[in-house]
Amino acid sequence: MANTLPTHPFFNVQHSPIGAFASFTLGQKGPNGGLGIQQGKPADEPVYIGLESRDDANRFDALPFYDGRTSDEAERYVSENNLSPKMDDHMLGGIPGVETYLFDDEQISRNLTAARDTWTAGDLTFRIITPVFAVPDAEAESPDHDALRLATCPAVLVELEVDNTACDRARRFFFGFSGSDPYSALRQIEPEDNEGIRGLVQGQIKGLFAEGQGIHGGRAFGIEPIIRPWRGEGNDRFGLGPVGLLFGDAPAGKKTTFRFAVCFYSPGVVTTGQDAVYFYTRYFDGLESVGRYALEHFDDYLAKADAADAMLDDAAHLNDAQRFQIAHTIHSYYGSTEFLDLGTAPPLTHDGRTPCWVVNEGEYRMMNTFDLTVDMLFYELRMNPWTSRNVLDRFIDRYSYTDQLHFPGGSNDHPGGVSFTHDQGVTNHFTAAGYSSYEVTGLRGCFSYMTCEQLVNFICCVAAYDHATGDHAWTAKHAGLLGDCLDSLLNRDHPDAAQRNGVMGLDSSRTGNGSEITTYDSLDASLGQARNNVYLAVKSWAGCVLLAKLFERFGQSDKAALAGEQAERTAATIVSQADTDGLIPAVIVEGSVAHIIPAIEGLVFPFVAGAREAVASDGPYAELIAALGKHLDAVLRPGVCLFEDGGWKLSNTSINSWLSKIYLCQFVAREVLGHHDAQASQAADEAHAGWLLRPENTYWAWSDQMHAGVAKGSKYYPRGVTSALWLDEAGNA
């Protein structure tokens, strides 16, 4: 289905293999995309995609993904002496008169879907096919290795189609790049050396492959010397030029499609702290084997792409702005995924290695940030739930800790309990057991600990995984830990049970004399402060509701009653804080005047984790649901929590909003609270899509943190797949 929303086609999108932490990024004009591996940003490489003109064999037209100039790299090799021969006599020049131009903007159109990104200019169509499908359970007793090989092959596919039906001569096309890795040169893979596959690669890490018949390759200081060499065909092995192309001739009078694979490979150990190799090294021993496999299974990937695109096509209730944002966020999510094998056993075996799923935090590259894990959970439970279990197991086994607690200004002499770190490492370094890369002692704002929030995140993730998969045996194995989680959550309210009100009141000893924060770390106290925060209070209420259900199933009625009582306390406290207009303060019992949309965020967890009765308008917490609904009505107004363009403003005291959280709260508003205002929803969706398409933002593909619509942080980010919740609306669950 065509996406008609974008007002212009020039915005970067990530196209990434599953779990390779790599991206073929394309869309921003100029050398602002390319083949990046293990980066928190685009590779900033020129990409060359072009076709010989129908009317002039000496003219080539290219998509605008380089700056249109010939490289000046050759100047380094030539003397400045006026007596030296002209540069053209030193270079492998192109035939005189052959020139390459950029297509005019008005000639270019684009269509982005969940698994495809299609560019059309004149008779040229360039289509990128991204793997978007389930990863089989690598921890199963007998894993499906054929399916795992298909899912983890570190390649994306490309179709370059030439419509030459109106031309009576063959026309040359090309596809290539200038690699940005300063440590290795471009090199060519010849068909006779690689079972009929031709390649253009940089070192061992990235490159392009095509079936060798009719495809040629070359390197030079510019495009023309490769596609129309003046010095003859024998110089195609010239190795100094930074421009590399694969090219061929589209036959006259036909529409022909040529297939390519964009491949990545990181050999050997890629992490520190704990040694790990990429999971795909079980099946592939280098770029060449990746390229061969991807091309041989091209049709399999096309079928998978059809199924992924159908996810959006079949959701008739979505508007174009929603389709665009879901597609964009899916592409961005996979750009941060990293599927590893812990251990250093030899490649192509699995002995002694353990699968480890990581989602990196976009530009920041923190690994399995827990407050992202809990939001990306909804998409992962849809696609491959075992990856959620894998991440939770890592938190349990390596990234949990026990603390003490203090009141503001007090000493850390109150019992605390178990919790979990903010993340599991950064930039491919696994941090020490029990510690994150982010959290620092002695702070009251950004970089402080998120102890209570990560505890609640763990509870909600476990319950949602249990409900989605029916893997009750795994959950029961951790019944004791869940009991510890309940005790820890109760202690964070008040050490005296008689004085508990259901809301976090004490801070972790991990903060020293500081205080805890929430995932909204760069906001003011309306969302940044954890203690007495209504966002965290509702999420904690959800955690207690879900714990009560789990303990009932475990046959632990005493613990179920404790969890239920705490949920009731929390609900009562929140309801009591509403003013006469229905507004609930962002920080309760502290006289806050701020008001926030994410007060409703925590309602999503009972809804998706099998406790919908708890969020029903006539259920056991009807007063809480009614109060939160009235609060939402009161804040979703211009000048409060709406920007002038109709976009959502998470807090009335800040222009800082996260799109991923907006997407989640939009789902809660419609599906849980029944707020259906089609006109306002459409305006909000179009505003949010418009933010992503602003010229200031398009380089970074999908970004999360927006200051009045301008990306200021959380760029190149995976968290936006909260938008996948929209697929479950309007009877599509």
Side-chain angles (χ1 to χ4, degrees):
M1 180 180 292
N3 182 353
T4 60
L5 172 79
T7 54
H8 65 86
F10 302 115
F11 53 92
N12 268 340
V13 171
Q14 292 186 259
H15 311 94
S16 303
I18 299 171
F21 196 14
S23 176
F24 174 32
T25 299
L26 203 67
Q28 183 89 348
K29 281 186 176 182
N32 292 306
L35 285 64
I37 189 163
Q38 298 180 161
Q39 295 182 209
K41 60 181 289 295
D44 295 337
E45 295 176 339
V47 177
Y48 311 104
I49 304 158
L51 175 65
E52 179 183 328
S53 170
R54 186 195 305 175
D55 302 319
D56 183 354
N58 286 331
R59 175 184 175 120
F60 287 80
D61 295 294
L63 292 173
F65 303 132
Y66 68 106
D67 59 14
R69 297 178 297 145
T70 298
S71 169
D72 58 4
E73 178 73 7
E75 299 290 344
R76 296 198 299 116
Y77 297 90
V78 181
S79 170
E80 295 181 3
N81 189 323
N82 291 333
L83 299 177
S84 66
K86 292 181 180 180
M87 177 61 65
D88 285 347
D89 291 332
H90 279 286
M91 292 178 62
L92 301 177
I95 294 174
V98 174
E99 294 187 89
T100 304
Y101 300 85
L102 299 180
F103 282 108
D104 293 333
D105 289 359
E106 57 268 22
Q107 295 177 279
I108 301 170
S109 63
R110 184 183 192 181
N111 183 43
L112 178 68
T113 67
R116 289 178 171 87
D117 193 3
T118 303
W119 295 82
T120 302
D123 294 332
L124 172 70
T125 297
F126 186 81
R127 184 178 300 108
I128 307 170
I129 299 100
T130 301
V132 177
F133 55 93
V135 180
D137 189 345
E139 296 179 319
E141 188 172 339
S142 299
D144 185 340
H145 288 290
D146 288 339
L148 278 166
R149 184 180 290 107
L150 188 72
T152 61
C153 177
V156 297
L157 292 306
V158 165
E159 292 179 324
L160 192 155
E161 180 183 291
V162 178
D163 184 353
N164 209 20
T165 54
C167 190
D168 60 2
R169 73 173 195 281
R171 293 159 69 193
R172 183 151 291 186
F173 60 86
F174 59 85
F175 174 32
F177 72 108
S178 291
S180 58
D181 180 10
Y183 304 108
S184 54
L186 290 174
R187 61 187 175 92
Q188 290 173 232
I189 306 296
E190 304 298 336
E192 57 269 24
D193 301 326
N194 196 36
E195 301 179 20
I197 303 299
R198 185 177 292 279
L200 173 74
V201 303
Q202 185 166 42
Q204 301 181 64
I205 61 172
K206 60 187 181 182
L208 316 177
F209 290 88
E211 293 182 358
Q213 186 173 4
I215 301 293
H216 308 278
R219 292 154 292 168
F221 294 116
I223 294 173
E224 294 83 1
I226 303 174
I227 55 178
R228 289 281 193 264
W230 185 17
R231 300 294 186 180
E233 303 291 342
N235 290 318
D236 58 356
R237 293 179 183 270
F238 179 66
L240 297 183
V243 176
L245 301 177
L246 296 180
F247 62 92
D249 295 314
K254 295 181 179 179
K255 181 184 288 187
T256 311
T257 299
F258 302 87
R259 291 176 166 182
F260 299 85
V262 180
C263 302
F264 304 89
Y265 197 88
S266 288
V269 175
V270 294
T271 59
T272 56
Q274 284 187 294
D275 288 344
V277 297
Y278 276 98
F279 189 89
Y280 57 66
T281 61
R282 292 190 181 194
Y283 307 120
F284 305 100
D285 59 7
L287 277 172
E288 289 89 337
S289 65
V290 172
R292 281 195 304 272
Y293 180 89
L295 290 168
E296 289 168 359
H297 291 81
F298 207 109
D299 289 336
D300 296 325
Y301 288 111
L302 289 180
K304 296 289 189 182
D306 289 343
D309 286 343
M311 269 197 313
L312 271 64
D313 291 345
D314 293 344
H317 63 286
L318 297 174
N319 59 49
D320 283 344
Q322 289 178 302
R323 292 178 192 281
F324 166 69
Q325 289 176 94
I326 295 174
H328 207 351
T329 60
I330 288 173
H331 284 275
S332 196
Y333 165 80
Y334 284 111
S336 284
T337 60
E338 187 171 22
F339 189 15
L340 300 171
D341 255 345
L342 291 171
T344 56
L348 305 182
T349 74
H350 64 274
D351 296 335
R353 293 199 277 177
T354 304
C356 176
W357 182 259
V358 172
V359 182
N360 291 276
E361 193 179 343
E363 64 169 324
Y364 307 131
R365 292 187 58 189
M366 284 178 278
M367 304 161 72
N368 287 339
T369 301
F370 211 159
D371 38 307
L372 269 71
T373 296
V374 72
D375 289 336
M376 298 181 299
L377 175 82
F378 314 112
Y379 182 71
E380 293 189 348
L381 291 180
R382 169 184 290 273
M383 300 299 291
N384 27 254
W386 76 269
T387 60
S388 298
R389 183 191 69 224
N390 181 273
V391 172
L392 291 173
D393 279 337
R394 288 280 288 165
F395 275 110
I396 293 168
D397 296 339
R398 183 175 171 88
Y399 292 103
S400 58
Y401 61 89
T402 301
D403 66 353
Q404 297 293 109
L405 300 171
H406 65 267
F407 286 105
S411 58
N412 291 295
D413 53 7
H414 297 287
V418 67
S419 190
F420 304 87
T421 61
H422 168 271
D423 58 73
Q424 299 179 357
V426 64
T427 56
N428 275 6
H429 171 70
F430 287 109
T431 49
Y435 289 90
S436 72
S437 68
Y438 174 98
E439 293 160 308
V440 178
T441 298
L443 300 179
R444 298 178 183 276
C446 204
F447 308 122
S448 187
Y449 275 81
M450 299 184 188
T451 305
C452 187
E453 176 154 13
Q454 308 308 356
L455 169 63
V456 174
N457 286 342
F458 177 79
I459 295 167
C460 291
C461 283
V462 169
Y465 169 80
D466 176 87
H467 178 71
T469 64
D471 188 1
H472 301 324
W474 179 85
T475 312
K477 182 173 70 173
H478 299 297
L481 174 59
L482 290 170
D484 294 340
C485 288
L486 175 60
D487 293 340
S488 182
L489 192 56
L490 293 173
N491 288 340
R492 289 166 209 284
D493 179 347
H494 200 286
D496 180 359
Q499 297 188 58
R500 289 175 183 157
N501 66 355
V503 180
M504 173 192 163
L506 291 85
D507 290 291
S508 173
S509 57
R510 285 276 180 122
T511 69
N513 61 351
S515 57
E516 292 180 39
I517 58 173
T518 76
T519 184
Y520 297 96
D521 47 6
S522 59
L523 269 170
D524 57 25
S526 66
L527 273 165
Q529 174 184 313
R531 190 180 59 254
N532 290 324
N533 191 288
V534 71
Y535 147 74
L536 187 54
V538 175
K539 209 171 185 181
S540 300
W541 165 83
C544 288
V545 167
L546 295 171
L547 281 175
K549 286 184 71 73
L550 289 173
F551 288 133
E552 285 288 358
R553 198 176 72 216
F554 298 154
Q556 298 179 12
S557 56
D558 290 348
K559 286 192 175 297
L562 274 175
E565 289 167 5
Q566 184 70 356
E568 290 171 1
R569 287 190 195 99
T570 309
T573 298
I574 295 169
V575 170
S576 72
Q577 295 296 302
D579 66 15
T580 54
D581 295 322
L583 288 165
I584 302 171
V587 181
I588 59 180
V589 304
E590 290 190 21
S592 169
V593 296
H595 305 291
I596 59 174
I597 291 174
I600 70 171
E601 183 181 319
L603 298 180
V604 71
F605 294 102
F607 189 83
V608 303
R612 292 192 180 186
E613 69 284 354
V615 294
S617 61
D618 57 353
Y621 298 98
E623 285 189 79
L624 174 66
I625 305 308
L628 290 172
K630 189 174 182 181
H631 169 81
L632 182 64
D633 281 337
V635 297
L636 275 185
R637 300 178 188 277
V640 186
C641 286
L642 284 182
F643 289 106
E644 290 184 6
D645 61 5
W648 283 23
K649 188 179 180 186
L650 292 178
S651 170
N652 72 317
T653 60
S654 175
I655 61 169
N656 196 357
S657 278
W658 277 259
L659 279 172
S660 64
K661 293 296 196 176
I662 291 172
Y663 298 161
L664 197 164
C665 289
Q666 286 179 304
F667 173 82
V668 172
R670 291 189 293 258
E671 285 298 286
V672 181
L673 296 176
H675 286 230
H676 297 287
D677 183 334
Q679 185 175 357
S681 291
Q682 178 90 15
D685 293 332
E686 291 179 358
H688 304 146
W691 296 353
L692 293 166
L693 293 168
R694 290 178 64 154
E696 308 99 306
N697 302 335
T698 51
Y699 170 78
W700 289 101
W702 190 88
S703 294
D704 201 2
Q705 188 181 159
M706 299 282 184
H707 286 205
V710 177
K712 293 295 185 181
S714 303
K715 303 170 183 176
Y716 221 50
Y717 218 58
R719 192 181 199 168
V721 285
T722 51
S723 63
L725 283 164
W726 299 343
L727 296 170
D728 292 334
E729 294 185 35
N732 285 271

